[in-house]
mmCIF file of all heavy atoms in Angstrom:
data_model
loop_
_atom_site.group_PDB
_atom_site.id
_atom_site.type_symbol
_atom_site.label_atom_id
_atom_site.label_comp_id
_atom_site.label_asym_id
_atom_site.label_seq_id
_atom_site.Cartn_x
_atom_site.Cartn_y
_atom_site.Cartn_z
ATOM 1 N N ARG Z 1 273.633 254.848 123.454
ATOM 2 C CA ARG Z 1 272.586 255.991 123.260
ATOM 3 C C ARG Z 1 273.358 257.316 122.968
ATOM 4 O O ARG Z 1 272.822 258.114 122.134
ATOM 5 C CB ARG Z 1 271.778 256.095 124.465
ATOM 6 C CG ARG Z 1 270.729 255.021 124.621
ATOM 7 C CD ARG Z 1 269.662 255.438 125.663
ATOM 8 N NE ARG Z 1 270.234 255.586 126.996
ATOM 9 C CZ ARG Z 1 270.242 254.602 127.828
ATOM 10 N NH1 ARG Z 1 269.754 253.367 127.561
ATOM 11 N NH2 ARG Z 1 270.659 254.797 129.059
ATOM 12 N N ASP Z 2 274.517 257.512 123.433
ATOM 13 C CA ASP Z 2 275.240 258.758 123.198
ATOM 14 C C ASP Z 2 275.636 258.974 121.827
ATOM 15 O O ASP Z 2 275.728 260.006 121.233
ATOM 16 C CB ASP Z 2 276.448 258.903 124.152
ATOM 17 C CG ASP Z 2 276.079 259.068 125.555
ATOM 18 O OD1 ASP Z 2 274.956 259.451 125.825
ATOM 19 O OD2 ASP Z 2 276.915 258.720 126.474
ATOM 20 N N THR Z 3 275.936 257.733 121.129
ATOM 21 C CA THR Z 3 276.334 257.908 119.690
ATOM 22 C C THR Z 3 275.250 258.277 118.766
ATOM 23 O O THR Z 3 275.392 258.682 117.678
ATOM 24 C CB THR Z 3 276.914 256.421 119.248
ATOM 25 O OG1 THR Z 3 275.872 255.516 119.467
ATOM 26 C CG2 THR Z 3 278.049 256.028 120.083
ATOM 27 N N ASN Z 4 274.036 258.216 119.336
ATOM 28 C CA ASN Z 4 272.817 258.598 118.553
ATOM 29 C C ASN Z 4 272.306 260.065 118.839
ATOM 30 O O ASN Z 4 271.233 260.424 118.514
ATOM 31 C CB ASN Z 4 271.703 257.623 118.753
ATOM 32 C CG ASN Z 4 271.967 256.226 118.253
ATOM 33 O OD1 ASN Z 4 272.641 256.105 117.394
ATOM 34 N ND2 ASN Z 4 271.551 255.248 119.023
ATOM 35 N N ALA Z 5 273.156 260.865 119.346
ATOM 36 C CA ALA Z 5 272.789 262.289 119.704
ATOM 37 C C ALA Z 5 272.514 263.022 118.371
ATOM 38 O O ALA Z 5 273.013 262.731 117.376
ATOM 39 C CB ALA Z 5 273.937 262.929 120.510
ATOM 40 N N PRO Z 6 271.756 264.170 118.448
ATOM 41 C CA PRO Z 6 271.383 264.897 117.243
ATOM 42 C C PRO Z 6 272.703 265.444 116.574
ATOM 43 O O PRO Z 6 273.675 265.833 117.214
ATOM 44 C CB PRO Z 6 270.574 266.164 117.849
ATOM 45 C CG PRO Z 6 270.073 265.555 119.166
ATOM 46 C CD PRO Z 6 271.038 264.668 119.608
ATOM 47 N N GLU Z 7 272.522 265.573 115.156
ATOM 48 C CA GLU Z 7 273.752 265.960 114.421
ATOM 49 C C GLU Z 7 273.924 267.530 114.640
ATOM 50 O O GLU Z 7 272.913 268.223 114.857
ATOM 51 C CB GLU Z 7 273.491 265.662 112.902
ATOM 52 C CG GLU Z 7 273.354 264.211 112.618
ATOM 53 C CD GLU Z 7 273.193 263.973 111.095
ATOM 54 O OE1 GLU Z 7 273.167 264.973 110.433
ATOM 55 O OE2 GLU Z 7 273.160 262.813 110.721
ATOM 56 N N GLY Z 8 275.025 267.959 114.449
ATOM 57 C CA GLY Z 8 275.261 269.399 114.538
ATOM 58 C C GLY Z 8 275.858 269.795 115.859
ATOM 59 O O GLY Z 8 276.437 270.865 116.001
ATOM 60 N N GLU Z 9 275.781 268.971 116.897
ATOM 61 C CA GLU Z 9 276.276 269.242 118.089
ATOM 62 C C GLU Z 9 277.726 268.949 118.084
ATOM 63 O O GLU Z 9 278.220 268.018 117.494
ATOM 64 C CB GLU Z 9 275.579 268.459 119.204
ATOM 65 C CG GLU Z 9 274.150 268.873 119.488
ATOM 66 C CD GLU Z 9 273.487 268.150 120.653
ATOM 67 O OE1 GLU Z 9 274.277 267.493 121.302
ATOM 68 O OE2 GLU Z 9 272.342 268.265 120.831
ATOM 69 N N ASN Z 10 278.464 269.788 118.834
ATOM 70 C CA ASN Z 10 279.985 269.492 118.858
ATOM 71 C C ASN Z 10 280.153 268.377 119.783
ATOM 72 O O ASN Z 10 279.893 268.366 120.999
ATOM 73 C CB ASN Z 10 280.622 270.761 119.470
ATOM 74 C CG ASN Z 10 280.526 271.968 118.509
ATOM 75 O OD1 ASN Z 10 280.456 271.735 117.281
ATOM 76 N ND2 ASN Z 10 280.493 273.213 119.118
ATOM 77 N N GLN Z 11 280.675 267.376 119.176
ATOM 78 C CA GLN Z 11 281.086 266.129 119.974
ATOM 79 C C GLN Z 11 282.435 265.731 119.671
ATOM 80 O O GLN Z 11 282.955 265.867 118.477
ATOM 81 C CB GLN Z 11 280.018 264.985 119.488
ATOM 82 C CG GLN Z 11 278.604 265.196 119.784
ATOM 83 C CD GLN Z 11 277.810 263.976 119.385
ATOM 84 O OE1 GLN Z 11 278.221 263.145 118.654
ATOM 85 N NE2 GLN Z 11 276.516 264.009 119.715
ATOM 86 N N LYS Z 12 283.070 265.234 120.714
ATOM 87 C CA LYS Z 12 284.369 264.742 120.541
ATOM 88 C C LYS Z 12 284.260 263.352 119.880
ATOM 89 O O LYS Z 12 283.394 262.554 120.176
ATOM 90 C CB LYS Z 12 285.066 264.631 121.927
ATOM 91 C CG LYS Z 12 285.319 265.968 122.480
ATOM 92 C CD LYS Z 12 286.091 265.772 123.900
ATOM 93 C CE LYS Z 12 286.341 267.090 124.573
ATOM 94 N NZ LYS Z 12 286.997 266.990 125.803
ATOM 95 N N PRO Z 13 285.261 263.072 119.065
ATOM 96 C CA PRO Z 13 285.305 261.804 118.436
ATOM 97 C C PRO Z 13 285.327 260.706 119.520
ATOM 98 O O PRO Z 13 286.068 260.835 120.477
ATOM 99 C CB PRO Z 13 286.549 261.820 117.656
ATOM 100 C CG PRO Z 13 286.881 263.254 117.466
ATOM 101 C CD PRO Z 13 286.400 263.942 118.603
ATOM 102 N N THR Z 14 284.538 259.757 119.351
ATOM 103 C CA THR Z 14 284.475 258.667 120.280
ATOM 104 C C THR Z 14 284.855 257.353 119.663
ATOM 105 O O THR Z 14 284.685 257.145 118.402
ATOM 106 C CB THR Z 14 283.109 258.502 120.900
ATOM 107 O OG1 THR Z 14 282.254 258.259 119.825
ATOM 108 C CG2 THR Z 14 282.705 259.723 121.696
ATOM 109 N N GLU Z 15 285.491 256.437 120.358
ATOM 110 C CA GLU Z 15 285.772 255.164 119.833
ATOM 111 C C GLU Z 15 284.515 254.393 119.616
ATOM 112 O O GLU Z 15 283.576 254.501 120.401
ATOM 113 C CB GLU Z 15 286.699 254.430 120.881
ATOM 114 C CG GLU Z 15 288.108 255.115 121.018
ATOM 115 C CD GLU Z 15 288.914 254.329 122.013
ATOM 116 O OE1 GLU Z 15 288.454 253.327 122.505
ATOM 117 O OE2 GLU Z 15 290.077 254.826 122.250
ATOM 118 N N PRO Z 16 284.565 253.546 118.529
ATOM 119 C CA PRO Z 16 283.346 252.755 118.292
ATOM 120 C C PRO Z 16 283.107 251.836 119.535
ATOM 121 O O PRO Z 16 284.002 251.309 120.149
ATOM 122 C CB PRO Z 16 283.746 251.967 117.097
ATOM 123 C CG PRO Z 16 285.227 252.090 116.831
ATOM 124 C CD PRO Z 16 285.620 253.344 117.614
ATOM 125 N N VAL Z 17 281.846 251.768 119.903
ATOM 126 C CA VAL Z 17 281.446 250.924 121.061
ATOM 127 C C VAL Z 17 280.596 249.690 120.585
ATOM 128 O O VAL Z 17 279.685 249.846 119.737
ATOM 129 C CB VAL Z 17 280.526 251.745 122.030
ATOM 130 C CG1 VAL Z 17 280.028 250.936 123.128
ATOM 131 C CG2 VAL Z 17 281.341 253.013 122.499
ATOM 132 N N SER Z 18 281.132 248.637 121.008
ATOM 133 C CA SER Z 18 280.362 247.387 120.663
ATOM 134 C C SER Z 18 279.216 247.106 121.683
ATOM 135 O O SER Z 18 279.594 246.843 122.870
ATOM 136 C CB SER Z 18 281.359 246.164 120.634
ATOM 137 O OG SER Z 18 281.936 245.984 121.775
ATOM 138 N N LEU Z 19 277.957 247.206 121.233
ATOM 139 C CA LEU Z 19 276.895 246.950 122.110
ATOM 140 C C LEU Z 19 276.667 245.475 122.441
ATOM 141 O O LEU Z 19 276.994 244.656 121.553
ATOM 142 C CB LEU Z 19 275.599 247.523 121.503
ATOM 143 C CG LEU Z 19 275.514 249.032 121.344
ATOM 144 C CD1 LEU Z 19 274.254 249.381 120.622
ATOM 145 C CD2 LEU Z 19 275.666 249.815 122.712
ATOM 146 N N PRO Z 20 276.308 245.163 123.595
ATOM 147 C CA PRO Z 20 276.100 243.717 123.860
ATOM 148 C C PRO Z 20 275.003 243.143 122.990
ATOM 149 O O PRO Z 20 273.963 243.806 122.783
ATOM 150 C CB PRO Z 20 275.670 243.703 125.409
ATOM 151 C CG PRO Z 20 275.129 245.031 125.642
ATOM 152 C CD PRO Z 20 275.941 246.009 124.770
ATOM 153 N N THR Z 21 275.192 241.980 122.497
ATOM 154 C CA THR Z 21 274.200 241.332 121.749
ATOM 155 C C THR Z 21 273.029 240.812 122.594
ATOM 156 O O THR Z 21 273.240 240.705 123.776
ATOM 157 C CB THR Z 21 274.784 240.091 120.926
ATOM 158 O OG1 THR Z 21 275.167 239.186 121.957
ATOM 159 C CG2 THR Z 21 276.020 240.556 120.069
ATOM 160 N N GLN Z 22 271.913 240.402 121.854
ATOM 161 C CA GLN Z 22 270.760 239.911 122.620
ATOM 162 C C GLN Z 22 271.119 238.678 123.363
ATOM 163 O O GLN Z 22 270.669 238.375 124.465
ATOM 164 C CB GLN Z 22 269.644 239.688 121.688
ATOM 165 C CG GLN Z 22 268.348 239.243 122.337
ATOM 166 C CD GLN Z 22 267.240 239.116 121.351
ATOM 167 O OE1 GLN Z 22 267.360 239.195 120.156
ATOM 168 N NE2 GLN Z 22 266.005 238.862 121.805
ATOM 169 N N LYS Z 23 271.994 237.854 122.799
ATOM 170 C CA LYS Z 23 272.453 236.544 123.346
ATOM 171 C C LYS Z 23 273.236 236.908 124.610
ATOM 172 O O LYS Z 23 273.025 236.207 125.671
ATOM 173 C CB LYS Z 23 273.257 235.833 122.510
ATOM 174 C CG LYS Z 23 273.724 234.421 122.906
ATOM 175 C CD LYS Z 23 274.446 233.784 121.801
ATOM 176 C CE LYS Z 23 274.916 232.379 122.273
ATOM 177 N NZ LYS Z 23 275.636 231.581 121.268
ATOM 178 N N GLN Z 24 274.094 237.875 124.718
ATOM 179 C CA GLN Z 24 274.863 238.352 125.759
ATOM 180 C C GLN Z 24 273.947 238.793 126.930
ATOM 181 O O GLN Z 24 274.133 238.466 128.132
ATOM 182 C CB GLN Z 24 275.899 239.308 125.456
ATOM 183 C CG GLN Z 24 277.053 238.711 124.583
ATOM 184 C CD GLN Z 24 277.938 239.926 124.133
ATOM 185 O OE1 GLN Z 24 277.524 240.997 123.960
ATOM 186 N NE2 GLN Z 24 279.238 239.530 123.975
ATOM 187 N N VAL Z 25 272.921 239.505 126.493
ATOM 188 C CA VAL Z 25 271.964 239.985 127.606
ATOM 189 C C VAL Z 25 271.262 238.867 128.302
ATOM 190 O O VAL Z 25 271.132 238.768 129.469
ATOM 191 C CB VAL Z 25 270.994 241.022 126.951
ATOM 192 C CG1 VAL Z 25 269.928 241.440 127.973
ATOM 193 C CG2 VAL Z 25 271.785 242.264 126.458
ATOM 194 N N LYS Z 26 270.764 237.943 127.390
ATOM 195 C CA LYS Z 26 270.017 236.846 128.002
ATOM 196 C C LYS Z 26 270.999 236.007 128.946
ATOM 197 O O LYS Z 26 270.583 235.493 129.991
ATOM 198 C CB LYS Z 26 269.623 235.930 126.848
ATOM 199 C CG LYS Z 26 268.428 236.520 126.103
ATOM 200 C CD LYS Z 26 267.893 235.583 125.062
ATOM 201 C CE LYS Z 26 266.694 236.159 124.295
ATOM 202 N NZ LYS Z 26 266.180 235.220 123.412
ATOM 203 N N LYS Z 27 272.258 235.842 128.506
ATOM 204 C CA LYS Z 27 273.195 235.096 129.374
ATOM 205 C C LYS Z 27 273.383 235.816 130.710
ATOM 206 O O LYS Z 27 273.380 235.110 131.730
ATOM 207 C CB LYS Z 27 274.493 234.971 128.526
ATOM 208 C CG LYS Z 27 275.609 234.140 129.370
ATOM 209 C CD LYS Z 27 276.886 234.052 128.628
ATOM 210 C CE LYS Z 27 277.920 233.233 129.329
ATOM 211 N NZ LYS Z 27 279.138 233.137 128.552
ATOM 212 N N THR Z 28 273.488 237.118 130.691
ATOM 213 C CA THR Z 28 273.680 237.936 131.970
ATOM 214 C C THR Z 28 272.447 237.647 132.805
ATOM 215 O O THR Z 28 272.593 237.398 134.091
ATOM 216 C CB THR Z 28 273.911 239.367 131.688
ATOM 217 O OG1 THR Z 28 275.158 239.441 130.845
ATOM 218 C CG2 THR Z 28 274.171 240.066 132.902
ATOM 219 N N VAL Z 29 271.262 237.794 132.236
ATOM 220 C CA VAL Z 29 270.042 237.669 133.061
ATOM 221 C C VAL Z 29 270.022 236.260 133.613
ATOM 222 O O VAL Z 29 269.566 236.005 134.731
ATOM 223 C CB VAL Z 29 268.801 237.943 132.106
ATOM 224 C CG1 VAL Z 29 267.488 237.633 132.840
ATOM 225 C CG2 VAL Z 29 268.798 239.338 131.686
ATOM 226 N N LYS Z 30 270.328 235.249 132.798
ATOM 227 C CA LYS Z 30 270.271 233.845 133.282
ATOM 228 C C LYS Z 30 271.270 233.744 134.425
ATOM 229 O O LYS Z 30 270.930 233.048 135.439
ATOM 230 C CB LYS Z 30 270.647 232.929 132.153
ATOM 231 C CG LYS Z 30 270.485 231.455 132.420
ATOM 232 C CD LYS Z 30 270.821 230.624 131.202
ATOM 233 C CE LYS Z 30 270.715 229.161 131.528
ATOM 234 N NZ LYS Z 30 270.932 228.263 130.451
ATOM 235 N N GLN Z 31 272.399 234.329 134.346
ATOM 236 C CA GLN Z 31 273.321 234.194 135.487
ATOM 237 C C GLN Z 31 272.730 234.792 136.755
ATOM 238 O O GLN Z 31 272.956 234.338 137.831
ATOM 239 C CB GLN Z 31 274.736 234.949 135.165
ATOM 240 C CG GLN Z 31 275.482 234.078 134.093
ATOM 241 C CD GLN Z 31 276.686 234.864 133.629
ATOM 242 O OE1 GLN Z 31 276.822 236.103 133.846
ATOM 243 N NE2 GLN Z 31 277.702 234.142 133.079
ATOM 244 N N LEU Z 32 272.077 235.961 136.558
ATOM 245 C CA LEU Z 32 271.487 236.660 137.663
ATOM 246 C C LEU Z 32 270.451 235.764 138.297
ATOM 247 O O LEU Z 32 270.288 235.616 139.546
ATOM 248 C CB LEU Z 32 270.934 237.982 137.291
ATOM 249 C CG LEU Z 32 272.041 239.053 136.789
ATOM 250 C CD1 LEU Z 32 271.284 240.287 136.351
ATOM 251 C CD2 LEU Z 32 272.883 239.389 138.005
ATOM 252 N N ASP Z 33 269.594 235.143 137.509
ATOM 253 C CA ASP Z 33 268.580 234.204 137.915
ATOM 254 C C ASP Z 33 269.187 233.008 138.749
ATOM 255 O O ASP Z 33 268.717 232.613 139.796
ATOM 256 C CB ASP Z 33 267.745 233.758 136.819
ATOM 257 C CG ASP Z 33 266.846 234.725 136.188
ATOM 258 O OD1 ASP Z 33 266.647 235.763 136.996
ATOM 259 O OD2 ASP Z 33 266.316 234.648 135.157
ATOM 260 N N SER Z 34 270.248 232.583 138.135
ATOM 261 C CA SER Z 34 270.958 231.464 138.866
ATOM 262 C C SER Z 34 271.532 231.813 140.148
ATOM 263 O O SER Z 34 271.425 231.156 141.176
ATOM 264 C CB SER Z 34 272.115 230.918 137.960
ATOM 265 O OG SER Z 34 272.872 229.883 138.617
#
């Protein structure tokens, strides 16, 4: 969400962040259910 902040604001360069895929989210939820 931070990478989508409004343009023009002074932001420090950030490293690209790989968001969890939908498959990974489902896997985590499944583990929690288990």
Side-chain angles (χ1 to χ4, degrees):
R1 285 195 297 266
D2 291 341
T3 59
N4 296 324
E7 295 182 0
E9 292 185 10
N10 294 328
Q11 296 181 348
K12 294 182 180 180
T14 57
E15 296 181 0
V17 177
S18 58
L19 294 177
T21 64
Q22 185 177 7
K23 184 176 180 181
Q24 291 174 327
V25 172
K26 289 183 177 180
K27 182 177 179 182
T28 302
V29 173
K30 186 176 180 181
Q31 289 177 337
L32 294 175
D33 289 342
S34 175

